[in-house]
Amino acid sequence: MNHRVITCILCPNGCELEVGWDGEPTTQSVEVLGNLCAKGISYALDELTHPERTLTTSIRVRGGVQRLASVKTVSPIPREAVVAARELLQPMVLNAPVAIGQVVVEDVARTGVQVIVTRAVASQSDPEQS
Amino acid sequence: MPRLERPTDQPIPGGGSMFDIVLIGAGVVGSAIARVLSQYRCTVAVIEKESDVGMAASSRNSGVIHAGINYAPDSLRARFCMQGRKLLLTWCDELNVPYKVCGKLIVAPSEEEVPGLRRLRSTGEANGVPGLAIIGPNEITELQPGIKAVAALHVPSSGIVSPYAMTLAMAEEAAVNGVTFLLECEATQIRPVDGGYAVDTDRGTVSGRWVINSAGIHAGHLAQTIDPEAPDLYPCVGEYLILDKQVGESLAMSVYPAPPVGGAGLGVHITPTTEGNVLLGPSDEYVSDPETTSCAGKTADQLLEEAMIMWPALPRHLVIGAYAGIRAKRTSPSVGGFGDFLIRQTPSADRVVHLIGIESPGLTAAPAIADYVVHEILHANEPLVQKPLSEVVHRPWSTRFDDLPEEEKERLVAKDPNYGDIICRCEGVTKHELLHALNNPLGVKTLTGIKYRCRATMGRCSGGYCLPRMVEILQEEHGWEPDDFVLRGPSSPAFAGRLIEERHD
Amino acid sequence: MTEQIREFDVAVIGGGPAGLAAAAAAASQGAQVALIDRNSQLGGILNQCIHDGFGLHAFGEVLTGPEFADRYVRRATDAGVFLQSNTLVTSLAPSGEIICSRYGQRKQLRAKAIVLAMGCRERTRGMIRIPGYRPAGVYTAGTAQWLTNLANVRIGRRVVILGSGDIGLIMARRLTWEGAEVIAVIEKLPYPSGLPRNINQCLLDYEIPLHLSHSVTCIHGKDRVERVTVSRFDETGTPVAGSEFDLVCDTLLLSVGLIPENELSRRAGVVLDRTTSGATVGASYMTNVPGIFSCGNVLHIHDLADWAAEEGERAGASAAKYAEGIHGDAVVEESIPIRAGDGIRYVIPQRVSRSTDQVLMSFRVTEPRGKTTIRAISGKAMIGSTQLNKAHPATMVQLRIQIEDLAGPVEVTCS
Ligand SMILES: Cc1cc2nc3c(=O)[nH]c(=O)nc-3n(C[C@H](O)[C@H](O)[C@H](O)COP(=O)(O)OP(=O)(O)OC[C@H]3O[C@@H](n4cnc5c(N)ncnc54)[C@H](O)[C@@H]3O)c2cc1C
Ligand SMILES: Cc1cc2nc3c(=O)[nH]c(=O)nc-3n(C[C@H](O)[C@H](O)[C@H](O)COP(=O)(O)OP(=O)(O)OC[C@H]3O[C@@H](n4cnc5c(N)ncnc54)[C@H](O)[C@@H]3O)c2cc1C
Ligand code: SF4
């Protein structure tokens, strides 16, 4: 029996999951203790097979009242793709105004996941919006 | 994007040009001399190794205007303290520098220290200090509640002054009146040349017919480059804790212990600042590095402990900062105590004047020292010609917006909208004051320089709110790049460039 | 210039989640509400918190800080709140008069009820008295977060983080993503003070070492940070001789605690709690000064913006009622005290009026523990309890109790 302790990151409860499994970890083989909700079980399995994380970072804005807009992947992407995704986004520049929810990249680092803006940046020529 | 101008962009006035007077060191003493000289028709250059004036002992002390009770009656310290105190108050009024004659208590926690108070009183009386009185616990409580002592010497003529405001105000006024300040320029040697003396620096040579060495802790060894008999100086560090303004609300005057016998300082005292904070300190410890500004954790605990003997209910959780200053002592660690100020004309070169061992009360004494050097040494030797009053520009230190009455604030906001934009919540600093600070005649653009000029980043949050606001204003409205933000000078960059490269588009 | 004094039912000072939620709640009860914030963008600290992890409780979704803030800005706007950004409140009188200052304008306004929602500031190096030099390169984590996420400034390349608070952990990951090297996180306590999920996703993912029971005992470098000395601390909180080691770095971030921003409150006569550094309040979040309410981080430090916003809603609703003349809290003297007992650091509210029928208490334990029973006791009677699988000082706990025939002061304990 394999055994690992994993802290669930899906909510602030941060349950300490006691995970046990035989052979390959699968829905059937994995046993989870310490989870306060069902999401903890699928999180544990994901963590053993293909851990995923959300990337939140910044992108340059041209002509905005601020220099940077914040962005995120709309859903978690494979953990090992996070740094590559960041590198792909780094040279990008958006033109102000930038709106919350605006799609920046349709499919970042071939993960099939969108990157969207999370903070609006008004354009310098439109001081009304703040 | 154009780079911000740096002091080193200004070339050293080279060639055959010779100043009438070259001053080395722009502490409170050098700046006071520069201010006096700026009222005469003469050419003056001030060489200062730091990126701003007053960065050494002159901004790292207690800020106490001493009354003159600690110095032997025939000493230079007594003479310049008594004369300096009077001049200082006049200069503060002229320059609009904050000060307060709040008095001082020197307390005896037990009967043992009472004879010490009597000794101080008689020294003070011999020096002509007015109003000295030894008082009992009830009167102590009346003057300053919360102090635990059996007796105290009340010194009503003692006071407090903002030491960096004093130094900066004098230097800035001197600068607008024609004194040349060469910042980030370190003197390494003084030597005779035809018609005067050359001061070699890391940026070239500056020559003058007179050289005045007021290089603080470095005055001794700098003097020795031309005057081998000049004495050594011993660095002795004094550490302080700064307490929140909340504490200042309940401290009316400085509280000192009876001075420790043979100690290198006056003992750990509690003193209000003109801005309303409270200082605890200084410690005294001889060190080898004359530039150290490091504070030890143990010392901080010790300062609190010693201060709490006098003020048991001191709110120790309200410490917001710490700093350390170097005393330029003439007495070695094995001797201890205090030496006297030394004003020495080099025997083989009497137009090279050294000011050595200007430790406490050097801040109080500075105007008198300046007056003495300019009038009794320079002027007595070759008469200086006074500029007509109409030619002397008056440059007062700015009153803080936060200290003004509401109607006056409204008037100013109507005049310049930037007065309405408060960029530092702890100290109530306005954007107008920030821009005014940046527009100083010395061309100083360091964060510390801004701090001393307008108090942004000086409050309890240490810049948590105002540093971002300053970065925002300077980046967005004044085109500063990350590399333009330096703490004290070019070797203390605040940042490491851009996070994400910005191609200039 | 001062214009004519404007009158409102409720004025909210601070436009973070707590203030926005308070303003929206008050306005939706029909009150005329003004909200004043000094920043150009409403949302408070959340605008710089570009990471995700917000909103699960309030919206059932995972949001980033700016997205979460945006929802509350819209709520307040839709509720008809008069929103005034770029405006700093410089003084507050117990009578409800406020002076504010903005570019080109000093301004007074008056309100029947005031909600304090000014958030917090960070503990600084000076406050924790780290020995050594004072070079460039020492920043509080929140300031570093602002500089990084809003000013596009790189604060340094080799970073040591002192304190394992959540902001420090979030910054460890953020700076790693941006190409800086995070050498270590140093924590004086024997356990991390941030949430376990942040230890996992911010440190473990990037193999950043966490040194528990250690602290920085000297900062080296006269001009810019060159290295820090780290020492181990024993159970009594003293450094262990010989345990020192140096870490070469150019930057030291401090994530060593937050302090409610109560200067305005203090000067208005609001009594502060020594433990929380926030106001002492009754069940309706009213302070000792009638008509002045407090919520969010200015009342006590919250780990979750969701809780701060919820608290704001409750305080805003009480303030609107107060403005209508309905007073939920009795004067301090006639209230029943609520106290933190064994194992509990503090409890909000600190008192409850006899006329209240129930009260929601928010509190924290003093140290991490496993299975825990929380009990509320009055006299000898147990008036409420709850079971927790584990309890951590980083996580706020809530318990609702009924107030009927209380024998005396309420005490909350854990075992
Ligand atoms: C801990 C402490 C507490 C004190 N408390 C008080 C008090 O309460 N009241 C009071 O009256 N006095 C007090 N003093 C004394 C007072 O602060 C000093 O006497 C005064 O500041 C000395 O001024 P200065 O200009 O001679 O020296 P400094 O301020 O040290 O100035 C010397 C300047 O010379 C520059 N410099 C040095 N070498 C060179 C070089 N080679 N080339 C170019 N520039 C150079 C330095 O950078 C510096 O700016 C205190 C002193 C200390 C240390
Ligand atoms: C750096 C940081 C990171 C955090 N990360 C997370 C996280 O990942 N997840 C999570 O759930 N929670 C997080 N939190 C906690 C959460 O963000 C806070 O609990 C929440 O923002 C508190 O809301 P608030 O409205 O009380 O204060 P704030 O958001 O701080 O808002 C206070 C507002 O009041 C304004 N203000 C203050 N004084 C005045 C004045 N005199 N005049 C006018 N305006 C004034 C301020 O500018 C500010 O806009 C974090 C907190 C911090 C500090
Ligand atoms: S298991 Fe469920 S409750 Fe526990 S941390 Fe994960 S998501 Fe939250």
Side-chain angles (χ1 to χ4, degrees), chain C residues 83-259:
Chain C
L83 296 168
Q84 180 92 84
S85 53
N86 282 316
T87 305
L88 184 101
V89 174
T90 63
S91 79
L92 163 67
S95 56
E97 256 145 61
I98 289 175
I99 299 181
C100 5
S101 195
R102 62 184 320 213
Y103 179 80
Q105 198 175 43
R106 301 278 294 182
K107 189 164 165 166
Q108 271 183 54
L109 53 93
R110 192 179 298 137
K112 294 180 190 137
I114 305 280
V115 180
L116 307 173
M118 290 93 74
C120 60
R121 62 171 187 269
E122 297 178 276
R123 271 159 72 84
T124 64
R125 176 194 176 174
M127 294 175 192
I128 58 168
R129 296 196 266 127
I130 310 174
Y133 289 91
R134 288 182 312 292
V138 181
Y139 294 105
T140 55
T143 300
Q145 190 175 47
W146 187 94
L147 290 164
T148 308
N149 293 343
L150 290 168
N152 194 18
V153 160
R154 183 176 288 282
I155 52 156
R157 297 189 183 278
R158 285 179 61 87
V159 184
V160 169
I161 299 176
L162 175 62
S164 58
D166 286 312
I167 317 168
L169 300 178
I170 296 286
M171 280 308 286
R173 178 180 68 180
R174 180 81 184 110
L175 293 172
T176 305
W177 282 348
E178 297 304 331
E181 192 183 346
V182 179
I183 315 284
V185 175
I186 316 288
E187 168 59 57
K188 194 167 174 185
L189 295 171
Y191 52 86
S193 56
L195 295 171
R197 65 195 297 224
N198 287 336
I199 300 290
N200 185 3
Q201 59 182 343
C202 299
L203 301 189
L204 293 181
D205 274 1
Y206 303 97
E207 294 172 5
I208 298 169
L210 169 63
H211 299 281
L212 296 173
S213 300
H214 281 75
S215 190
V216 170
T217 45
C218 193
I219 299 175
H220 305 270
K222 285 181 189 167
D223 296 324
R224 173 86 198 188
V225 176
E226 287 166 7
R227 68 198 154 85
V228 295
T229 301
V230 176
S231 307
R232 188 156 56 78
F233 279 66
D234 65 18
E235 304 77 48
T236 66
T238 23
V240 176
S243 68
E244 306 83 19
F245 58 94
D246 279 8
L247 297 175
V248 175
C249 56
D250 62 15
T251 305
L252 176 66
L253 289 197
L254 305 177
S255 180
V256 290
L258 303 169
I259 304 172

Side-chain angles (χ1 to χ4, degrees), chain A:
Chain A
M1 182 90 163
N2 300 299
H3 182 256
R4 232 178 99 183
V5 179
I6 298 174
T7 306
C8 177
I9 63 167
L10 295 187
C11 92
N13 284 337
C15 294
E16 208 168 272
L17 310 175
E18 302 260 354
V19 194
W21 72 96
D22 277 319
E24 284 296 300
T26 61
T27 327
Q28 283 75 39
S29 71
V30 164
E31 261 176 54
V32 178
L33 289 176
N35 54 314
L36 283 178
C37 83
K39 282 192 282 180
I41 302 172
S42 57
Y43 175 76
L45 184 60
D46 287 350
E47 207 56 9
L48 294 178
T49 52
H50 59 287
E52 291 187 328
R53 298 290 183 264
T54 299
L55 170 66
T56 53
T57 182
S58 305
I59 292 189
R60 277 261 294 134
V61 175
R62 189 186 290 129
V65 293
Q66 282 159 335
R67 290 172 183 252
L68 299 176
S70 54
V71 299
K72 69 172 184 186
T73 55
V74 289
S75 56
I77 58 174
R79 191 171 66 190
E80 62 279 3
V82 166
V83 171
R86 173 65 196 122
E87 270 162 24
L88 283 168
L89 294 173
Q90 183 111 29
M92 294 188 59
V93 183
L94 303 173
N95 284 318
V98 172
I100 286 196
Q102 181 178 324
V103 177
V104 176
V105 181
E106 273 299 341
D107 170 8
V108 73
R110 272 183 256 143
T111 56
V113 174
Q114 279 183 340
V115 174
I116 61 166
V117 170
T118 57
R119 188 183 59 238
V121 179
S123 104
Q124 274 167 354
S125 50
D126 177 21
E128 268 311 287
Q129 231 189 319
S130 66

Side-chain angles (χ1 to χ4, degrees), chain B residues 289 295 410 425 488 494 496, chain C residues 2 132 134 139 154 224 261:
Chain B
D289 176 4
C295 294
E410 282 169 19
R425 49 140 186 229
R488 278 185 281 270
Chain C
T2 336
R134 288 182 312 292
Y139 294 105
R154 183 176 288 282
R224 173 86 198 188
E261 180 89 294

Side-chain angles (χ1 to χ4, degrees), chain B residues 24-30 47-50 56-58 60-64 66 185-187 214-216 218 222 238 240 282 325-327 358-364:
Chain B
I24 306 169
V28 68
V29 175
I47 296 174
E48 169 55 58
K49 69 181 167 67
E50 301 299 328
S58 299
R60 299 157 174 274
N61 52 51
S62 306
V64 169
H66 286 298
C185 182
E186 179 164 1
S214 64
H218 297 292
L222 194 59
Y240 290 87
I326 295 288
R327 301 178 184 84
I358 313 297
E359 57 163 317
S360 190
L363 170 65
T364 314

Side-chain angles (χ1 to χ4, degrees), chain B residues 27 66 127 216 234 259 261 265 284 335 409 418-419 444 459 466 483 489 504:
Chain B
H66 286 298
N127 286 336
Y234 303 91
V261 178
D284 60 86
V335 175
K409 287 182 178 164
N418 282 334
Y419 274 116
V444 174
C466 59
D483 293 347
H504 292 292

Side-chain angles (χ1 to χ4, degrees), chain B residues 328-366:
Chain B
K329 295 202 72 77
R330 287 183 62 195
T331 47
S332 69
S334 55
V335 175
F338 293 85
D340 201 4
F341 296 162
L342 176 65
I343 299 183
R344 176 179 163 99
Q345 288 173 267
T346 308
S348 62
D350 65 354
R351 293 187 175 192
V352 179
V353 185
H354 309 290
L355 309 180
I356 298 178
I358 313 297
E359 57 163 317
S360 190
L363 170 65
T364 314

Side-chain angles (χ1 to χ4, degrees), chain B residues 18 30 68 75 116 152 176 199 205 258 282 286 367 376 381 420 422 442:
Chain B
M18 173 146 332
S75 64
V176 295
V199 178
T205 297
Y286 280 93
E376 317 247 334
N381 208 286
I422 296 175
L442 300 176

